[in-house]
Amino acid sequence: MAERPVAPTASELVLETDTGSTVMSPGRDYHVGRDPLSDIVFDDARVSWHHAVLRCDQDHWTLADQHSTNGTYADGRRIEHWAVRPGSEIRFGSPADGPRAVPADAPEPAPDRPSAVSQPRLTGTFRRPTSVRPLPPRTVRIGRAPDNDLVVDDLTVSRRHAELRAHPDGTYEIADLDSHNGTYLNGRPVTCARVGPGDIIGVGHSAFCVVGTELQEYVDTGEVSLDVQELTVTVDGGRTVLLDHVSFPVGEKCLLAVVGPSGAGKSTLLNALTGQRPADRGTVLYDGRDLYRDYAELRGRIGLVPQDDILHPQLTVRAALTYAAELRFPEDTAPAEREARVSEVIRELGLEHRADQPVHRLSGGQRKRVSVALELLTKPSLLFLDEPTSGLDPGMDRSVMTMLRGLADDGRTVVVVTHSVLSLGGCDRLLVLAPGGRVAYYGLPDDALAFLGHEQWPEAFEAFDREPDRDWAGQYRASPFHRHYVTEATTQPHHPGPAPAGPAPPPRPRGWGAQLGTLVRRYTAVLSADRTFLVVMTALPFVMGAMARALAGGRLTPDTAMNALLILCVGAVLTGAANAVRELVKERPVYRRERAVGLPRSAYLLSKIVVLGTVTVAQAVVLTLVALLGVDLDAPGGRGVLLPPLAEITLAVALLAFTAMMLGLLVSALVRKEEVTMPLLVLLAIVQVVFCGALLTLHGVPGLEQLSWLVPSRWALGAMAGTVGLSRLVPGKLTADPLFRHTPGVWLLDLAMLLVLSALCGLAVARLLRRQEPAVMRK
């Protein structure tokens, strides 16, 4: 009968270093070295990449040197294998001034011992506070301005952000001061809430905790871990599995590449890791904190670069970054502060010589750098990229991956989903997904092909298709790689539960008017830089107006009146719809990303309406004046219904053009590809002509009459016909339509219906935009 292994009887050990403390539990090894994936990392050239190992040997801890170049020293003596004694001084790389560590027995974690993570006793992760200060028995104001009691040097924090208010009974409450990005208590946005022992107050990249008479601050510097536990995503009522119990840890300053054949679930995994589409089951731990539960707060520390560029190609690099900074930073951020951050990011990404060039003139690799720069504005700790090298040549591919390597080394965790296998050697970890969203391998990139049993990546990917019944995930779980890179490397406890915690809805950003102003200015700049758009949109009303003028001649007659008004309808519809029919679909990646970081849907939509509406109404006025200025409209008694005839027709054409613009936005929100918008524009114009009432008798025809009520040109033609008294000029069954009457009630009804149709289109567009947003933003 085999002997049962004896469980270690040693107690937990705390290893205190100059950068923080690590609580070590018996049952696993702890690696020391310069490797960013080590348990205790020393960024010192004298320390070897894999320097030493701490392990529990039954009732005591031991330290073993791993043949390091410069040695390991305990109490001044070089050691190879040493029984750890609490209170002794350990030096790595030099006995005099090498990185220092002092072991100590771990006390029972007290409830008031704060950390930068939720539930520190469970996670075993304790970080040394960035600062500790006594709490005064009064209100403490927190913000970016120098005159606050507690100054937070973070551009995502408002100048007057929050107050920690003291109560006479010795308790405190946190109150948000209408900040731009919100104040959080244990990951949830709050306006005013009591602060209890162990509660974590989130302000920007900082966390605060009240401990007795002290206020301890923890600043997220970017060196965070990510722990993925049993992520599962299903569709079709659970019948189709997109991710199947995916688990892996990602250490600080790690560059992780995710590869796999098409349909293996790479994009699904990316959406689950970023909170865009939370997994149905499983947990994502951001430095020990449940990402889904605390998403409202942590989303500001996550950068996401989708496969499609999140840029307006007409803008220069500097302008694109400046507008993004205006949207993401608080309204009270000074222009000089924003410009300084933009310049800093441009330098960091090596874009100084391209800063004043339009984005569309950059190479593919340079555009991807600009997209990354946009995400780095807010200094995210986690950076995710979806296919950043797609469509790039091998040289650009290598350049982008080298850039990502540098970003990770600078103190970020970088996860890149890619089809390219050219530069995997520069990554710290590689995750290979098999079809069905299963983990086929996780570990060092250099060991992946040998583990999968192939010499080249194309052969490995072909094997996934040739052997669909092979248990790739089971083979990996049974391998030493899983034990070393997943089981032993996972420091966070398993979080049980059938489903992830429900995310709190992110707070509404403050400064809605300021964001609307920024969006309007940016969209105006984009349109102004599009010369083709300007030429076409300037010429169109003149061309259509000249056609109507040729038909009208000097006076509206029974032979010319109907055709002239019909041309005005067609011109208004084409002008308005053509302006808007591409504007939402071509910006969909930009909108999704900006919405994920807090852009209000209403501000985005209203900015489109304001700019396009202004342009469209101006075009409609030009169209009408070119067509009818100086023309005898032959209105009854020379007067319109309520206004001068030309003014009434101009108003009707402007409202029709505006409503057609809203219809164009609706089409743009409906379609998935920009290429299909032009055929739909033609179809839209034909429908307007057929159902306007100029060609067919609609009144009294069941079905057709009701259908025509949804056609804007029907009401606009009715208003114009009423102004000129068309039934008098062109008597007949066609012009006997009740909507053509020269009466105030009918004329006002015609115009009111155009406004109603515009409003209905606006509501429909808002609902369709909601469908394009990250799932968590729809709460």
Side-chain angles (χ1 to χ4, degrees), residues 427-460:
C427 301
D428 299 301
R429 292 290 184 267
L430 174 65
L431 172 66
V432 182
L433 288 179
R438 300 177 178 90
V439 177
Y441 175 80
Y442 179 76
L444 293 176
D446 293 342
D447 298 329
L449 281 173
F451 174 78
L452 296 173
H454 296 280
E455 296 182 357
Q456 302 292 332
W457 280 108
E459 298 172 359

Side-chain angles (χ1 to χ4, degrees), residues 245-331:
H245 296 86
V246 173
S247 299
F248 58 90
V250 186
E252 301 174 2
K253 297 185 179 181
C254 177
L255 174 57
L256 164 67
V258 181
V259 301
S262 297
K266 300 186 296 296
S267 296
T268 303
L269 175 63
L270 187 69
N271 288 334
L273 295 181
T274 57
Q276 303 288 294
R277 197 288 192 188
D280 299 307
R281 294 175 180 269
T283 309
V284 179
L285 297 178
Y286 175 102
D287 220 25
R289 300 180 64 175
D290 189 322
L291 175 65
Y292 296 158
R293 183 193 61 211
D294 297 351
Y295 179 79
E297 176 185 352
L298 298 179
R299 64 175 180 151
R301 308 184 194 181
I302 297 174
L304 172 62
V305 181
Q307 184 174 352
D308 297 319
D309 289 334
I310 48 177
L311 303 163
H312 291 90
Q314 300 87 350
L315 299 177
T316 65
V317 172
R318 189 179 300 278
L321 295 177
T322 300
Y323 283 122
E326 287 189 39
L327 292 172
R328 300 190 182 194
F329 293 151
E331 183 181 356

Side-chain angles (χ1 to χ4, degrees), residues 118 184-190 194 196 198-202 289 293-294 297:
S118 299
Y184 304 85
L185 186 65
N186 298 325
R188 301 273 169 163
V190 295
R194 288 266 182 167
D199 285 345
I200 298 176
I201 302 168
R289 300 180 64 175
R293 183 193 61 211
D294 297 351
E297 176 185 352

Side-chain angles (χ1 to χ4, degrees), residues 67-348:
H67 307 291
S68 63
T69 302
N70 296 313
T72 304
Y73 303 86
D75 296 327
R77 295 182 295 107
R78 182 162 185 165
I79 56 98
E80 297 296 332
H81 192 275
W82 180 69
V84 176
R85 294 190 295 271
S88 295
E89 182 181 75
I90 304 172
R91 295 276 184 177
F92 299 93
S94 169
D97 59 353
R100 174 178 174 269
V102 177
D105 289 330
E108 183 69 16
D112 61 350
R113 182 175 185 178
S115 110
V117 300
S118 299
Q119 300 176 301
R121 184 170 182 175
L122 290 178
T123 63
T125 304
F126 295 93
R127 297 192 182 277
R128 184 167 295 176
T130 306
S131 66
V132 178
R133 65 197 74 207
L135 267 174
R138 56 178 177 79
T139 295
V140 176
R141 192 172 63 197
I142 305 171
R144 200 178 74 253
D147 60 348
N148 287 287
D149 302 299
L150 205 163
V151 179
V152 180
D153 187 16
D154 183 347
L155 285 180
T156 63
V157 175
S158 299
R159 294 181 65 82
R160 307 282 188 272
H161 196 102
E163 286 183 348
L164 186 63
R165 297 168 179 168
H167 291 172
D169 61 359
T171 62
Y172 288 85
E173 70 175 15
I174 186 68
D176 184 74
L177 299 180
D178 202 33
S179 64
H180 179 82
N181 288 314
T183 302
Y184 304 85
L185 186 65
N186 298 325
R188 301 273 169 163
V190 295
T191 53
C192 189
R194 288 266 182 167
V195 179
D199 285 345
I200 298 176
I201 302 168
V203 175
H205 287 73
S206 297
F208 301 91
C209 198
V210 176
V211 182
T213 60
E214 295 179 337
L215 181 66
Q216 301 191 354
E217 178 184 10
Y218 301 82
V219 178
D220 187 342
T221 60
E223 298 181 8
V224 300
S225 62
L226 187 71
D227 207 281
V228 181
Q229 300 181 349
E230 302 292 326
L231 288 191
T232 301
V233 176
T234 61
V235 293
D236 300 329
R239 292 188 297 272
T240 304
V241 180
L242 301 183
L243 285 183
D244 191 359
H245 296 86
V246 173
S247 299
F248 58 90
V250 186
E252 301 174 2
K253 297 185 179 181
C254 177
L255 174 57
L256 164 67
V258 181
V259 301
S262 297
K266 300 186 296 296
S267 296
T268 303
L269 175 63
L270 187 69
N271 288 334
L273 295 181
T274 57
Q276 303 288 294
R277 197 288 192 188
D280 299 307
R281 294 175 180 269
T283 309
V284 179
L285 297 178
Y286 175 102
D287 220 25
R289 300 180 64 175
D290 189 322
L291 175 65
Y292 296 158
R293 183 193 61 211
D294 297 351
Y295 179 79
E297 176 185 352
L298 298 179
R299 64 175 180 151
R301 308 184 194 181
I302 297 174
L304 172 62
V305 181
Q307 184 174 352
D308 297 319
D309 289 334
I310 48 177
L311 303 163
H312 291 90
Q314 300 87 350
L315 299 177
T316 65
V317 172
R318 189 179 300 278
L321 295 177
T322 300
Y323 283 122
E326 287 189 39
L327 292 172
R328 300 190 182 194
F329 293 151
E331 183 181 356
D332 58 19
T333 305
E337 293 178 292
R338 288 195 298 266
E339 291 169 6
R341 180 57 187 157
V342 168
S343 298
E344 181 182 354
V345 170
I346 287 175
R347 288 194 301 272
E348 184 177 0

Side-chain angles (χ1 to χ4, degrees), residues 300-635:
R301 308 184 194 181
I302 297 174
L304 172 62
V305 181
Q307 184 174 352
D308 297 319
D309 289 334
I310 48 177
L311 303 163
H312 291 90
Q314 300 87 350
L315 299 177
T316 65
V317 172
R318 189 179 300 278
L321 295 177
T322 300
Y323 283 122
E326 287 189 39
L327 292 172
R328 300 190 182 194
F329 293 151
E331 183 181 356
D332 58 19
T333 305
E337 293 178 292
R338 288 195 298 266
E339 291 169 6
R341 180 57 187 157
V342 168
S343 298
E344 181 182 354
V345 170
I346 287 175
R347 288 194 301 272
E348 184 177 0
L349 273 299
L351 294 167
E352 299 99 320
H353 300 299
R354 308 290 182 183
D356 297 316
Q357 287 188 7
V359 172
H360 68 82
R361 294 185 181 176
L362 303 180
S363 66
Q366 291 165 347
R367 286 199 304 272
K368 194 59 63 177
R369 284 177 178 267
V370 179
S371 293
V372 173
L374 189 148
E375 291 300 304
L376 294 186
L377 287 170
T378 55
K379 298 183 178 180
S381 302
L382 285 176
L383 183 62
F384 295 89
L385 301 99
D386 188 8
E387 300 288 356
T389 61
S390 177
L392 302 184
D393 60 56
M396 285 292 184
D397 181 301
R398 184 177 182 85
S399 174
V400 170
M401 294 301 291
T402 301
M403 171 191 69
L404 299 182
R405 175 72 268 170
L407 293 176
D409 292 338
D410 286 343
R412 302 176 188 88
T413 299
V414 181
V415 178
V416 53
V417 172
T418 180
H419 276 103
S420 174
V421 294
L422 299 177
S423 304
L424 297 180
C427 301
D428 299 301
R429 292 290 184 267
L430 174 65
L431 172 66
V432 182
L433 288 179
R438 300 177 178 90
V439 177
Y441 175 80
Y442 179 76
L444 293 176
D446 293 342
D447 298 329
L449 281 173
F451 174 78
L452 296 173
H454 296 280
E455 296 182 357
Q456 302 292 332
W457 280 108
E459 298 172 359
F461 286 172
E462 289 174 0
F464 289 130
D465 292 329
R466 287 198 314 267
E467 306 173 54
D469 297 328
R470 181 174 173 181
D471 187 7
W472 299 93
Q475 292 178 8
Y476 177 69
R477 284 195 300 270
S479 71
F481 291 100
H482 182 272
R483 183 174 64 254
H484 180 70
Y485 293 114
V486 178
T487 305
E488 295 179 355
T490 301
T491 60
Q492 307 297 340
H494 178 70
H495 283 232
R508 294 181 179 274
R510 308 306 194 269
W512 183 91
Q515 289 195 312
L516 174 61
T518 299
L519 290 169
V520 167
R521 288 188 291 105
R522 183 180 70 178
Y523 191 36
T524 302
V526 169
L527 293 183
S528 300
D530 190 341
R531 295 182 179 178
T532 302
F533 175 87
L534 289 178
V535 171
V536 173
M537 291 304 102
T538 301
L540 185 59
F542 285 97
V543 172
M544 298 300 296
M547 293 171 61
R549 181 80 177 210
L551 286 172
R555 180 182 181 186
L556 292 185
T557 66
D559 295 329
T560 63
M562 180 66 82
N563 290 335
L565 298 184
L566 179 60
I567 290 295
L568 285 177
C569 285
V570 174
V573 168
L574 286 177
T575 299
N579 285 347
V581 77
R582 299 178 306 142
E583 295 308 299
L584 297 183
V585 64
K586 74 179 183 181
E587 286 191 1
R588 190 158 293 163
V590 177
Y591 172 70
R592 283 175 176 167
R593 183 59 195 138
E594 292 184 342
R595 180 72 177 120
V597 296
L599 178 71
R601 183 191 313 131
S602 57
Y604 176 79
L605 178 55
L606 189 57
S607 70
K608 297 293 185 186
I609 294 174
V610 168
V611 177
L612 289 176
T614 301
V615 173
T616 298
V617 169
Q619 290 174 312
V621 171
V622 171
L623 167 64
T624 310
L625 294 180
V626 170
L628 300 179
L629 185 62
V631 174
D632 183 0
L633 301 180
D634 200 14

